[in-house]
Amino acid sequence: MNTLLSIWNTIQTKLFPSLEKELDPLSEKEQEFIQIVTLLDLPAHMKEYNWRGFGRKKKSRPALAKAFIAKSVYNFATTEILIEYLTGCKNIRQLCGWELPSQVPSSPTFSRAFNEFASGKLPEKIHEAMVKKHCGEKLAGHISRDSTAMESREKPVKTPEATPRPKGKRGRPRRGEAAAPKPRKRVELQAERSLEENLNDLPTVCNVGTKKNSKGYKTTWTGYKLHLDCIDGDIPVSAILTSASLHDSQAAIPLAQMSSERVTNLYDLMDAAYDSPEIHAFSEFLGHRPIIDNNPRRGEKILMDPATKSRFAERSSAERINSYLKDNYGGRNIKVKGASKVMTHLMFGIVSITAMQLYRLLL
């Protein structure tokens, strides 16, 4: 927190006044952009994207990374709108690193840089480093876990037909004859595997997802599902992108593994979709206290006591982050195709939200 406070004071007392001497007066969005970029420590993450002297020199990747942050902050729908804005707005263009309008790269250059960032998982690495640096040493009270639908303009991949199981003998097995073992579910295997193995096992193709809305009606969408872990203060600490059809419970243990490497928390808050013995057990294995809304599919619904219910109300932070991302940071403007590119687009928004929520803790 001392590091974060020092950065905040430097921005407020030195950086903003010096920039306003060189630029036009800064708008609120421009100040937000400066605050986010200052916290990202981009130079430490851009070494692998530097030009190494072979072929034509590439356009500045740090400048392009800042431009994609600006696209998220301003919630621009397309890269073309971003380029037009950079060409006409002196402040944000120079803050990215281009003095003249003619220096702003073309749309294909932005596309090539975005592909490089997606391949290298740049925003994901930035987010992980930022969370570990500013949240890793502190104790978090709650982790709120939730998922949200992410619509994409892609053709959904057809679900392959399930391989028919070999027919066994009808009726009960004979005395002394062992029954055929049932195949283990994914959530049962996840607790025994590493995070990398679990992530590789999750489907990431674009397909059709279905869920019930707040009014109880079924809704469908084509695209993906973003799974988030957030701590107190509405700070997202982990994110996983999967196919839209994947059930929320399938991503719970990988998310828990990812978050446990970044922060230390006491309680895991989840809705009824995560009510599974395996998820309860893994949360306790990590030393956490799981508070999961009871799913009445196994019988009568078990209500929480007043104290637990009051603590469970903190889970709304995950829903707020989903709302921030969709309404203000590009979550509804997914124009790229493929899981890696969609994740990169969303993570630029997650990085921006994380930085701003960290600053808000100081106010």
Side-chain angles (χ1 to χ4, degrees), residues 134-152:
H134 299 291
C135 303
E137 296 181 356
K138 297 186 289 292
L139 179 65
H142 312 86
I143 274 186
S144 302
R145 187 164 295 139
D146 200 11
S147 70
T148 187
M150 288 296 171
E151 295 192 33
S152 177

Side-chain angles (χ1 to χ4, degrees), residues 268-276 279-280 283 289-295 304 312:
D268 291 336
L269 311 180
M270 293 166 266
D271 61 23
Y274 300 92
D275 186 15
S276 161
I279 296 175
H280 276 271
S283 176
R289 164 78 161 86
I291 300 180
I292 306 175
D293 193 19
N294 178 254
N295 193 323
M304 298 180 184
F312 182 74

Side-chain angles (χ1 to χ4, degrees), residues 18 40 46 115 141 146 149 158 180 184 215 221 227 298 326 350:
S18 63
L40 302 189
M46 301 303 299
N115 290 341
D146 200 11
K158 292 184 179 180
R184 298 178 69 188
K215 296 182 180 179
W221 76 97
H227 307 263
R298 295 188 179 90
K326 289 186 174 182
I350 293 293

Side-chain angles (χ1 to χ4, degrees), residues 168-180:
K169 295 181 181 179
R170 296 180 62 183
R172 297 168 60 184
R174 295 178 180 178
R175 181 178 297 177
E177 182 181 358

Side-chain angles (χ1 to χ4, degrees), residues 20 78 84:
E20 288 183 336
T78 64
E84 183 179 352

Side-chain angles (χ1 to χ4, degrees), residues 144-150 211 225-230 234 236 238-239 274 315-332 346 350 353:
S144 302
R145 187 164 295 139
D146 200 11
S147 70
T148 187
M150 288 296 171
K211 68 175 182 178
K225 185 181 284 187
L226 182 68
H227 307 263
L228 282 177
D229 269 5
C230 308
D234 297 358
S238 300
Y274 300 92
R315 201 192 69 85
S316 60
S317 62
E319 297 170 350
R320 285 193 294 272
I321 294 300
N322 290 333
S323 179
Y324 292 160
L325 181 61
K326 289 186 174 182
D327 295 343
N328 303 316
Y329 292 92
R332 300 189 196 278
L346 295 174
I350 293 293
I353 292 172

